[in-house]
Amino acid sequence: MTDSPAPVDSRPGSPAQRAARLDDADPLARFADAFVASDDVVAYLDGNSLGRPTRASADRLARFATEHWGARLIRGWDESWYDLPLSVGDRIGATVLGAAPGQTFVGDSTTVILYKLVRAALDARPGRTEIVLDSGNFPTDRFVLQGVAAERGATLRWISPAHDGGVTAEQVADAVGPRTALVVLSHVAYRSGHLADAPTITRLAHDAGALVLWDLCHSAGSVPVELDAWDVDLAASCTYKYLNGGPGSPAFGYVRSDLQATLTQPIQGWMGSAAPFEMGPEYAPHQGVRRFLSGTPAVVGMLAMQDMLDLLADAGMDEVRAKSVRLTGLALDLVDELLVPLGVTVASPRDADRRGSHVTIDHARFEQVLPRLWEQGIIPDFRRPDGLRLGLSPLSTRFDEVRIGVEAIRAALLEVPGGP
């Protein structure tokens, strides 16, 4: 993990003055203009659910229909589209995953990739029947694992994380053992924003003889990841959050190179076969990471994320992480100053080294507050039972947006029927 950046500016001044100083000093400020603006949005605090489109992507999507799809037609497959799941996968690996080429592929949804990798990993550990997971993970992860366990006769061993935290190395050490086949956890918890100690947890699982699958949905593109250095086995993630691929853009999967030949993925499709265009009678898997593809790649869905990868490569993940810490630090300072006196509680780690790029705050009236905020162009999101998430995407979010958002939450709380 990189060293923590300097603390948030705590010099005297109003929230507006403090936010302005941070924006003026921001080395990544120039990137905000690379994104499409929304006329009716004053503060977009939901980049951890859906990233803003880049201006370059808006242009790329418009040109694709005429210059590529329309002009090249079926020839596009031979010219570039067939290789996109792997070439874009390698770019994701190099830019945000710390992964060497030939280990990352783009295709399917996060749900489908999770299923494929979980099934493959479980079958690769014969005689081991337990999967370790946590009760605070995103529903898709839990639901997929429940289905696979029922399908394969496996047992789920649950870890219960703290409401304002996440799974710890100590909890994993207590949960793994000689029957553990696979550990499946999120690197950044979707609700609390807790950043797991991935290197230590991965080592603990390996010491027990188990494989590890990390869900990177809330870390890829906002938190430095080093899959190769951490010796991670498997990973999966969406691309529409901090990779700004657009609604429903395809997910990616990572399979460490030395495991690829030993894993059998369960959804055998033509694009993962050794010779897709021979249309042979029997399935034989491709020798590389392509074997984890199934159906025809979503070419249009892979367009926008390429432009965000350009921006992330330009900025550098260490700088992205440094701004993420400053953004969430400002959010916490303002929450303490403006919202805690109204009964709001913080449901995210206060230690920057254990926090991703979003902050969750709880209050019993936040479900009533959210529509009022959206009407004003203040866009956080709501997570049950009573949490607002402030998702701060480092390249597109300005510090003043954080200030505007927190002040608007305070005003809405004071105005909602029944008061704070």
Side-chain angles (χ1 to χ4, degrees):
M1 181 172 295
T2 58
D3 293 337
S4 297
V8 170
D9 184 354
S10 58
R11 289 176 294 167
S14 68
Q17 290 170 329
R18 281 142 50 196
R21 284 199 298 266
L22 286 165
D23 276 323
D24 289 342
D26 178 16
L28 302 183
R30 62 188 173 91
F31 287 97
D33 290 331
F35 297 86
V36 175
S38 307
D39 292 340
D40 65 339
V41 174
V42 180
Y44 188 59
L45 307 178
D46 209 1
N48 63 323
S49 285
L50 180 66
R52 285 184 178 274
T54 66
R55 295 182 185 276
S57 292
D59 181 58
R60 184 193 292 263
L61 288 164
R63 287 187 291 107
F64 179 81
T66 56
E67 295 179 14
H68 299 275
W69 176 13
R72 304 311 299 158
L73 295 171
I74 196 68
R75 294 172 292 183
W77 286 108
D78 293 308
E79 293 167 355
S80 64
W81 301 342
Y82 175 75
D83 291 325
L84 273 182
L86 305 188
S87 62
V88 176
D90 283 347
R91 288 196 62 202
I92 293 172
T95 306
V96 301
L97 302 182
Q103 300 179 105
T104 308
F105 65 95
V106 180
D108 307 309
S109 65
T110 309
T111 304
V112 173
I113 290 179
L114 282 171
Y115 174 80
K116 291 197 287 191
L117 297 185
V118 168
R119 267 286 310 271
L122 188 59
D123 291 349
R125 287 293 186 267
R128 290 173 172 256
T129 59
E130 291 186 352
I131 303 173
V132 172
L133 70 162
D134 71 286
S135 59
N137 212 338
F138 192 74
T140 279
D141 302 62
R142 293 184 280 109
F143 296 166
V144 165
L145 289 163
Q146 289 167 355
V148 171
E151 186 178 61
R152 308 304 286 174
T155 299
L156 299 179
R157 180 175 288 276
W158 294 90
I159 291 173
S160 298
H163 176 72
D164 60 351
V167 176
T168 66
E170 292 75 17
Q171 288 176 311
V172 173
D174 290 340
V176 297
R179 291 190 294 273
T180 308
L182 178 66
V183 176
V184 181
L185 301 170
S186 283
H187 188 208
V188 171
Y190 88 97
R191 192 183 192 281
S192 73
H194 175 267
L195 175 61
D197 185 352
T200 300
I201 289 173
T202 298
R203 177 178 52 78
L204 288 168
H206 288 171
D207 289 347
L211 296 172
V212 178
L213 192 164
W214 285 102
D215 180 330
L216 305 177
C217 286
H218 283 277
S219 55
S222 66
V223 175
V225 175
E226 296 291 342
L227 296 184
D228 287 356
W230 299 342
D231 200 27
V232 167
D233 304 304
L234 307 162
S237 174
C238 64
T239 61
Y240 44 77
K241 302 182 190 301
Y242 299 112
L243 297 186
N244 301 65
S249 59
F252 68 80
Y254 166 92
V255 183
R256 202 177 66 228
S257 57
D258 63 304
L259 290 176
Q260 292 171 15
T262 67
L263 298 182
T264 301
Q265 76 111 324
I267 306 178
Q268 299 179 169
W270 77 302
M271 273 289 173
S273 68
F277 295 101
E278 289 188 9
M279 311 295 179
E282 301 292 337
Y283 176 83
H286 193 275
Q287 291 304 301
V289 76
R290 180 176 283 277
R291 66 171 51 200
F292 295 95
L293 296 177
S294 297
T296 303
V299 173
V300 176
M302 284 185 276
L303 296 177
M305 68 181 78
Q306 298 178 57
D307 299 300
M308 187 61 183
L309 289 170
D310 289 341
L311 297 182
L312 289 168
D314 184 7
M317 283 306 302
D318 287 342
E319 286 294 329
V320 169
R321 172 60 175 162
K323 182 174 178 183
S324 168
V325 170
R326 289 193 293 270
L327 284 165
T328 55
L330 175 65
L332 287 171
D333 285 350
L334 294 177
V335 166
D336 286 340
E337 179 180 345
L338 301 177
L339 300 183
V340 168
L342 301 183
V344 171
T345 58
V346 174
S348 293
R350 289 184 175 275
D351 179 356
D353 287 340
R354 293 270 67 90
R355 186 174 68 240
S357 203
H358 68 269
V359 169
T360 300
I361 52 178
D362 289 345
H363 191 283
R365 298 192 183 276
F366 273 162
E367 189 170 9
Q368 298 168 263
V369 162
L370 185 70
R372 292 170 174 261
L373 296 173
W374 280 23
E375 288 174 4
Q376 301 167 40
I378 311 295
I379 317 292
D381 70 5
F382 178 76
R383 286 293 178 265
R384 296 192 183 283
D386 51 15
L388 280 185
R389 291 192 312 179
L390 312 181
L392 311 176
S393 187
L395 295 191
S396 61
T397 305
R398 293 183 171 92
F399 289 94
D400 201 47
E401 285 184 89
V402 179
R403 187 269 307 176
I404 291 169
V406 175
E407 289 183 342
I409 293 168
R410 174 181 172 82
L413 265 179
L414 292 171
E415 294 170 359
V416 74

